[in-house]
Amino acid sequence: MTNAADRLVAKMREVGNAVVVGIDPRPSQFPREIAERFPKSAEGIARSLLAFGEEILGVVAGKVPAVKFQSAFYEEFGPAGVAALHASAADAARRGLFVIIDGKRNDIGSTAEAYARGYLGHPPVDEEKGPAWQGDALTINPYLGSDGIAPFARVAGERGRGLFVLVRTSNPSAGEFQDLIADGKPVYRHVADRLVGWAEPLKGESGYSAIGAVVGATYPEQLAELREAMPGIFFLIPGYGAQGGTAADVAAGCDASGLGAIVNCSRGIIFAYERPELRDRFGEDWRAAIGYAVEEMVEDLASNTPMGKLKG
């Protein structure tokens, strides 16, 4: 049971890049091959989520170090959707990918402990059957303060799992709260400073902690500021691609060796077959379009950030 950050570093070095494929399945955008295979019921849609996820994983496994499942796109279809998420996360783990569950969970006390056990540890029964979820890391919201972090950090440390704490998010209205000045500095800097303390006990041999930060690509100056303020903290960087972030924007998020950050792209990869130029190039071979989009992102980051050093 190794440190989660050390496992992530090993995966990055193994495949030579820092790309995270975000799996945000929207049935309305599924290729016809998937959409027409299943009935238009909640159960049928859930089966299509699982089938689409399996196809995505088949394309990206071995090409990228990690995948990130956005739980909302599964939860909206009820228990069958959640079962599809569970099965897809287990499939990703079997394929050797570092698995992030993007649930942005948070609470305090016994409720936070229950979330932590469920997503990061083992349920309090049948522990010999293993963890409830095959996830290496979970995204969490720090809004409730240390009481909402400590239970997750404890279970993560006990079980060799990781956390990514929201610090500076990529959405347009992030600054409504995160940029507010308190005691002379913006709220996101207060979160960053606290996170450095929370993360220290979970540092691995790589020098990075199993507790990381979510920092968006759409605010590159603040990304650079936070990289300097948070040594030893892994960044999960959303916002690349469809949200407007570029490779140049994320460059400051990693260290000089190309480590310290992973960059997520969801729609730009999993629905790449909708791009007119890729439709013209690959026709009905939507899997090839997805594979091309992965390679395109890998090369973009390698050419425009220190992450190119991961290629060896």
PDB file of all heavy atoms in Angstrom, residues 34-50:
ATOM      1  N   ILE A  34     -23.279   3.386 -29.776  1.00  0.00           N
ATOM      2  CA  ILE A  34     -23.623   3.207 -28.361  1.00  0.00           C
ATOM      3  C   ILE A  34     -25.073   3.596 -28.113  1.00  0.00           C
ATOM      4  O   ILE A  34     -25.842   2.877 -27.462  1.00  0.00           O
ATOM      5  CB  ILE A  34     -22.699   4.044 -27.460  1.00  0.00           C
ATOM      6  CG1 ILE A  34     -21.237   3.605 -27.614  1.00  0.00           C
ATOM      7  CG2 ILE A  34     -23.130   3.932 -25.988  1.00  0.00           C
ATOM      8  CD1 ILE A  34     -20.905   2.255 -27.065  1.00  0.00           C
ATOM      9  N   ALA A  35     -25.475   4.738 -28.642  1.00  0.00           N
ATOM     10  CA  ALA A  35     -26.805   5.275 -28.344  1.00  0.00           C
ATOM     11  C   ALA A  35     -27.922   4.350 -28.801  1.00  0.00           C
ATOM     12  O   ALA A  35     -28.965   4.241 -28.137  1.00  0.00           O
ATOM     13  CB  ALA A  35     -26.956   6.645 -29.003  1.00  0.00           C
ATOM     14  N   GLU A  36     -27.728   3.656 -29.925  1.00  0.00           N
ATOM     15  CA  GLU A  36     -28.791   2.820 -30.479  1.00  0.00           C
ATOM     16  C   GLU A  36     -28.799   1.400 -29.918  1.00  0.00           C
ATOM     17  O   GLU A  36     -29.716   0.629 -30.218  1.00  0.00           O
ATOM     18  CB  GLU A  36     -28.671   2.785 -32.004  1.00  0.00           C
ATOM     19  CG  GLU A  36     -28.914   4.142 -32.655  1.00  0.00           C
ATOM     20  CD  GLU A  36     -28.798   4.102 -34.163  1.00  0.00           C
ATOM     21  OE1 GLU A  36     -28.390   3.039 -34.700  1.00  0.00           O
ATOM     22  OE2 GLU A  36     -29.101   5.129 -34.801  1.00  0.00           O
ATOM     23  N   ARG A  37     -27.812   1.075 -29.115  1.00  0.00           N
ATOM     24  CA  ARG A  37     -27.708  -0.290 -28.618  1.00  0.00           C
ATOM     25  C   ARG A  37     -28.609  -0.551 -27.413  1.00  0.00           C
ATOM     26  O   ARG A  37     -28.978  -1.696 -27.137  1.00  0.00           O
ATOM     27  CB  ARG A  37     -26.250  -0.605 -28.233  1.00  0.00           C
ATOM     28  CG  ARG A  37     -25.991  -2.085 -27.978  1.00  0.00           C
ATOM     29  CD  ARG A  37     -24.613  -2.324 -27.357  1.00  0.00           C
ATOM     30  NE  ARG A  37     -23.539  -1.668 -28.087  1.00  0.00           N
ATOM     31  CZ  ARG A  37     -22.289  -1.604 -27.634  1.00  0.00           C
ATOM     32  NH1 ARG A  37     -21.987  -2.136 -26.439  1.00  0.00           N
ATOM     33  NH2 ARG A  37     -21.350  -1.001 -28.340  1.00  0.00           N
ATOM     34  N   PHE A  38     -28.980   0.512 -26.695  1.00  0.00           N
ATOM     35  CA  PHE A  38     -29.678   0.333 -25.422  1.00  0.00           C
ATOM     36  C   PHE A  38     -31.019   1.058 -25.423  1.00  0.00           C
ATOM     37  O   PHE A  38     -31.180   2.079 -26.091  1.00  0.00           O
ATOM     38  CB  PHE A  38     -28.810   0.860 -24.279  1.00  0.00           C
ATOM     39  CG  PHE A  38     -27.461   0.204 -24.196  1.00  0.00           C
ATOM     40  CD1 PHE A  38     -26.344   0.800 -24.772  1.00  0.00           C
ATOM     41  CD2 PHE A  38     -27.322  -1.024 -23.568  1.00  0.00           C
ATOM     42  CE1 PHE A  38     -25.100   0.183 -24.703  1.00  0.00           C
ATOM     43  CE2 PHE A  38     -26.077  -1.646 -23.502  1.00  0.00           C
ATOM     44  CZ  PHE A  38     -24.966  -1.045 -24.073  1.00  0.00           C
ATOM     45  N   PRO A  39     -31.999   0.544 -24.670  1.00  0.00           N
ATOM     46  CA  PRO A  39     -33.308   1.194 -24.601  1.00  0.00           C
ATOM     47  C   PRO A  39     -33.223   2.542 -23.902  1.00  0.00           C
ATOM     48  O   PRO A  39     -32.324   2.799 -23.097  1.00  0.00           O
ATOM     49  CB  PRO A  39     -34.155   0.213 -23.797  1.00  0.00           C
ATOM     50  CG  PRO A  39     -33.176  -0.595 -23.012  1.00  0.00           C
ATOM     51  CD  PRO A  39     -31.949  -0.695 -23.863  1.00  0.00           C
ATOM     52  N   LYS A  40     -34.170   3.431 -24.216  1.00  0.00           N
ATOM     53  CA  LYS A  40     -34.187   4.788 -23.650  1.00  0.00           C
ATOM     54  C   LYS A  40     -34.927   4.784 -22.310  1.00  0.00           C
ATOM     55  O   LYS A  40     -35.934   5.474 -22.115  1.00  0.00           O
ATOM     56  CB  LYS A  40     -34.837   5.752 -24.623  1.00  0.00           C
ATOM     57  CG  LYS A  40     -34.110   5.871 -25.953  1.00  0.00           C
ATOM     58  CD  LYS A  40     -32.691   6.384 -25.740  1.00  0.00           C
ATOM     59  CE  LYS A  40     -31.990   6.658 -27.077  1.00  0.00           C
ATOM     60  NZ  LYS A  40     -31.535   5.427 -27.729  1.00  0.00           N
ATOM     61  N   SER A  41     -34.426   3.990 -21.389  1.00  0.00           N
ATOM     62  CA  SER A  41     -34.930   3.942 -20.019  1.00  0.00           C
ATOM     63  C   SER A  41     -33.769   4.248 -19.095  1.00  0.00           C
ATOM     64  O   SER A  41     -32.605   4.259 -19.521  1.00  0.00           O
ATOM     65  CB  SER A  41     -35.491   2.552 -19.710  1.00  0.00           C
ATOM     66  OG  SER A  41     -34.450   1.573 -19.798  1.00  0.00           O
ATOM     67  N   ALA A  42     -34.073   4.507 -17.820  1.00  0.00           N
ATOM     68  CA  ALA A  42     -32.995   4.785 -16.868  1.00  0.00           C
ATOM     69  C   ALA A  42     -32.007   3.623 -16.823  1.00  0.00           C
ATOM     70  O   ALA A  42     -30.788   3.822 -16.800  1.00  0.00           O
ATOM     71  CB  ALA A  42     -33.569   5.054 -15.480  1.00  0.00           C
ATOM     72  N   GLU A  43     -32.532   2.402 -16.820  1.00  0.00           N
ATOM     73  CA  GLU A  43     -31.664   1.224 -16.797  1.00  0.00           C
ATOM     74  C   GLU A  43     -30.850   1.117 -18.086  1.00  0.00           C
ATOM     75  O   GLU A  43     -29.649   0.831 -18.069  1.00  0.00           O
ATOM     76  CB  GLU A  43     -32.517  -0.033 -16.617  1.00  0.00           C
ATOM     77  CG  GLU A  43     -31.717  -1.323 -16.510  1.00  0.00           C
ATOM     78  CD  GLU A  43     -30.944  -1.432 -15.220  1.00  0.00           C
ATOM     79  OE1 GLU A  43     -31.393  -0.887 -14.205  1.00  0.00           O
ATOM     80  OE2 GLU A  43     -29.870  -2.085 -15.240  1.00  0.00           O
ATOM     81  N   GLY A  44     -31.521   1.384 -19.216  1.00  0.00           N
ATOM     82  CA  GLY A  44     -30.816   1.307 -20.485  1.00  0.00           C
ATOM     83  C   GLY A  44     -29.740   2.368 -20.610  1.00  0.00           C
ATOM     84  O   GLY A  44     -28.637   2.100 -21.101  1.00  0.00           O
ATOM     85  N   ILE A  45     -30.049   3.594 -20.163  1.00  0.00           N
ATOM     86  CA  ILE A  45     -29.049   4.662 -20.202  1.00  0.00           C
ATOM     87  C   ILE A  45     -27.856   4.309 -19.315  1.00  0.00           C
ATOM     88  O   ILE A  45     -26.698   4.527 -19.694  1.00  0.00           O
ATOM     89  CB  ILE A  45     -29.670   6.000 -19.762  1.00  0.00           C
ATOM     90  CG1 ILE A  45     -30.714   6.469 -20.771  1.00  0.00           C
ATOM     91  CG2 ILE A  45     -28.589   7.052 -19.579  1.00  0.00           C
ATOM     92  CD1 ILE A  45     -30.175   6.788 -22.142  1.00  0.00           C
ATOM     93  N   ALA A  46     -28.133   3.747 -18.150  1.00  0.00           N
ATOM     94  CA  ALA A  46     -27.043   3.358 -17.257  1.00  0.00           C
ATOM     95  C   ALA A  46     -26.147   2.316 -17.928  1.00  0.00           C
ATOM     96  O   ALA A  46     -24.913   2.368 -17.804  1.00  0.00           O
ATOM     97  CB  ALA A  46     -27.604   2.815 -15.947  1.00  0.00           C
ATOM     98  N   ARG A  47     -26.743   1.387 -18.640  1.00  0.00           N
ATOM     99  CA  ARG A  47     -25.948   0.390 -19.366  1.00  0.00           C
ATOM    100  C   ARG A  47     -25.110   1.048 -20.462  1.00  0.00           C
ATOM    101  O   ARG A  47     -23.983   0.648 -20.727  1.00  0.00           O
ATOM    102  CB  ARG A  47     -26.867  -0.676 -19.944  1.00  0.00           C
ATOM    103  CG  ARG A  47     -27.459  -1.611 -18.884  1.00  0.00           C
ATOM    104  CD  ARG A  47     -28.618  -2.418 -19.445  1.00  0.00           C
ATOM    105  NE  ARG A  47     -28.214  -3.212 -20.594  1.00  0.00           N
ATOM    106  CZ  ARG A  47     -29.060  -3.724 -21.485  1.00  0.00           C
ATOM    107  NH1 ARG A  47     -30.370  -3.495 -21.353  1.00  0.00           N
ATOM    108  NH2 ARG A  47     -28.620  -4.439 -22.494  1.00  0.00           N
ATOM    109  N   SER A  48     -25.671   2.096 -21.088  1.00  0.00           N
ATOM    110  CA  SER A  48     -24.900   2.801 -22.117  1.00  0.00           C
ATOM    111  C   SER A  48     -23.738   3.572 -21.501  1.00  0.00           C
ATOM    112  O   SER A  48     -22.664   3.684 -22.110  1.00  0.00           O
ATOM    113  CB  SER A  48     -25.803   3.745 -22.915  1.00  0.00           C
ATOM    114  OG  SER A  48     -26.157   4.906 -22.187  1.00  0.00           O
ATOM    115  N   LEU A  49     -23.921   4.114 -20.278  1.00  0.00           N
ATOM    116  CA  LEU A  49     -22.813   4.776 -19.574  1.00  0.00           C
ATOM    117  C   LEU A  49     -21.662   3.801 -19.367  1.00  0.00           C
ATOM    118  O   LEU A  49     -20.486   4.139 -19.576  1.00  0.00           O
ATOM    119  CB  LEU A  49     -23.276   5.304 -18.219  1.00  0.00           C
ATOM    120  CG  LEU A  49     -24.371   6.354 -18.158  1.00  0.00           C
ATOM    121  CD1 LEU A  49     -24.716   6.669 -16.708  1.00  0.00           C
ATOM    122  CD2 LEU A  49     -23.970   7.613 -18.898  1.00  0.00           C
ATOM    123  N   LEU A  50     -22.007   2.602 -18.943  1.00  0.00           N
ATOM    124  CA  LEU A  50     -20.985   1.585 -18.696  1.00  0.00           C
ATOM    125  C   LEU A  50     -20.289   1.200 -19.995  1.00  0.00           C
ATOM    126  O   LEU A  50     -19.053   1.089 -20.046  1.00  0.00           O
ATOM    127  CB  LEU A  50     -21.634   0.363 -18.050  1.00  0.00           C
ATOM    128  CG  LEU A  50     -20.712  -0.801 -17.667  1.00  0.00           C
ATOM    129  CD1 LEU A  50     -19.624  -0.334 -16.710  1.00  0.00           C
ATOM    130  CD2 LEU A  50     -21.531  -1.925 -17.049  1.00  0.00           C
TER     131      LEU A  50
END
